[in-house]
Amino acid sequence: MADKDGLKVAKDYLAEVPFANMGDFHVKGAKNLDWGMKKHLSNIFDPKTGKTVMFAFDHGYFMGSTAGLERLDLIVPTLTPYVDVVMATRGALRTCVPAECGCGVALRTTSGSSMINDDLSHEVVAVDIEDAIRMNADCMAVQTFIGADGQLSSIDNLSQVINAGFKYSIPTMGVVAVGKEMERTDRFFKLATRIVAEMGCQIVKSYYCENFEEVVAACPVPIVVAGGKKLPEDEALTLAYKCIQGGAAGVDMGRNIFQSTHPVEMAQAVRKVVHEGFTDKEAYQFFQDLAHRK
Ligand code: R5P
């Protein structure tokens, strides 16, 4: 390991220069992967736009029943026609998501945290690769706690899942966790997303921050951005717009869809931003028009 003393602060991200190793494949950093990995990544990132709308409803894995997700069986099937990928636990997928829905699958594979004990940085790999294969998962999501107590064990979890994923050509999505004690700065996200990507995962899930274009430029795999806490719909669409403008390969949005007054219309509006080049204002107008028609 390099001596920390005397290390220079990175600064030349050349954010305006496109990723140099795309080749003829639409997913960043995936040019050299094998057919199976590319097929799964194409189930996640639309080959026409290179982007994805992931709908995250895995919150129950540590929050239990969450507002808006009280009845997974009722809400999820209304949304699957409008999203590219469902991000969920195997329990939610097997019980409440129609297998014929046509969406890609981001399978949460780590667990161990809960809101009750307030210990949100220690997890284990809870789903083995055989079950991910059985569920035809397009990627396996692993929570990572860079800079927190659980860093070492979460990197261990991530490595185990990536190694198994390479064996069977299933991509891994490293999820950058933010906690009470962690800063939400570009400095932190540049560090965390890069560490997770260099561990070998094919997708990173992270958060929007200032200088987001530099975070994206420094990360050699696609970044999808979590929605975070519920915002008014216009602000959530502005967030999605800024992410896409900043180079995100999509959003992985949960509460800002399922806690919206109009979840189906919100999913469609997010889709317009991610895949059709709508500005946030155009998408909000689209949302309002759809919502008022009901
Ligand atoms: C991640 O760790 C969570 O379980 C969610 O998948 C993620 O935070 C995205 O959901 P939201 O947009 O509600 O933050």
Side-chain angles (χ1 to χ4, degrees):
M1 185 188 288
D3 186 342
K4 280 201 295 186
D5 294 338
L7 280 185
K8 288 188 178 164
V9 176
K11 56 178 183 189
D12 295 329
Y13 293 95
L14 302 177
E16 68 290 354
V17 180
F19 184 66
N21 198 30
M22 289 299 290
D24 58 359
F25 195 59
H26 61 288
V27 179
K28 186 178 187 182
K31 177 189 146 195
N32 298 328
L33 298 178
D34 80 332
W35 192 92
M37 282 269 186
K38 285 180 165 169
K39 177 69 178 101
H40 283 302
L41 289 168
S42 297
N43 292 343
I44 294 171
F45 298 100
D46 186 330
K48 292 198 279 296
T49 63
K51 299 194 170 57
T52 189
V53 176
M54 274 189 197
F55 172 44
F57 52 97
D58 58 332
H59 304 60
Y61 100 95
F62 73 104
M63 295 170 91
S65 173
T66 311
L69 294 181
E70 294 87 346
R71 288 292 302 270
L72 290 172
D73 58 318
L74 299 181
I75 189 158
V76 175
T78 67
L79 289 162
T80 52
Y82 306 106
V83 300
D84 300 300
V85 177
V86 287
M87 179 183 178
T89 60
R90 63 179 167 183
L93 286 165
R94 280 205 170 95
T95 56
C96 300
V97 182
E100 67 276 22
C101 73
C103 298
V105 171
L107 176 64
R108 174 162 286 283
T109 58
T110 55
S111 179
S113 307
S114 94
M115 297 302 279
I116 293 175
N117 60 15
D118 213 24
D119 174 10
L120 298 181
S121 79
H122 292 92
E123 297 199 342
V124 295
V125 177
V127 178
D128 62 25
I129 187 71
E130 286 79 12
D131 209 30
I133 294 167
R134 272 192 291 274
M135 299 201 69
N136 208 16
D138 292 301
C139 72
M140 300 176 287
V142 177
Q143 204 78 7
T144 60
F145 303 96
I146 306 301
D149 270 3
Q151 173 173 303
L152 179 60
S153 60
S154 72
I155 292 286
D156 187 31
N157 294 340
L158 183 67
S159 310
Q160 287 178 45
V161 173
I162 290 170
N163 288 333
F166 272 121
K167 205 163 169 189
Y168 297 102
S169 284
I170 302 181
T172 300
M173 179 162 76
V175 179
V176 173
V178 287
K180 277 185 287 204
E181 71 280 14
M182 294 181 224
E183 39 174 331
R184 290 188 181 226
T185 60
D186 59 328
R187 179 170 160 266
F188 169 71
F189 288 118
K190 280 170 189 159
L191 173 87
T193 56
R194 182 63 171 264
I195 289 176
V196 169
E198 294 215 20
M199 293 302 298
C201 65
Q202 291 76 26
I203 308 167
V204 171
K205 174 177 164 180
S206 187
Y207 289 84
Y208 186 75
C209 61
E210 60 175 1
N211 300 320
F212 181 71
E213 321 69 52
E214 293 184 355
V215 179
V216 169
C219 182
V221 299
I223 294 183
V224 294
V225 183
K229 68 176 184 195
K230 174 73 177 75
L231 300 167
E233 279 76 3
D234 57 338
E235 290 177 30
L237 290 166
T238 297
L239 172 67
Y241 179 66
K242 283 184 182 168
C243 293
I244 296 301
Q245 292 302 302
V251 294
D252 187 7
M253 200 171 257
R255 286 163 287 180
N256 280 297
I257 292 178
F258 65 71
Q259 291 180 347
S260 168
T261 49
H262 295 83
V264 169
E265 291 73 15
M266 187 59 181
Q268 291 177 80
V270 170
R271 205 173 172 80
K272 292 285 180 193
V273 172
V274 171
H275 287 303
E276 295 184 33
F278 274 38
T279 64
D280 47 349
K281 288 188 177 44
E282 290 168 338
Y284 185 56
Q285 186 62 55
F286 173 82
F287 168 79
Q288 285 185 308
D289 292 346
L290 281 184
H292 289 150
R293 232 183 273 161
K294 283 184 92 176

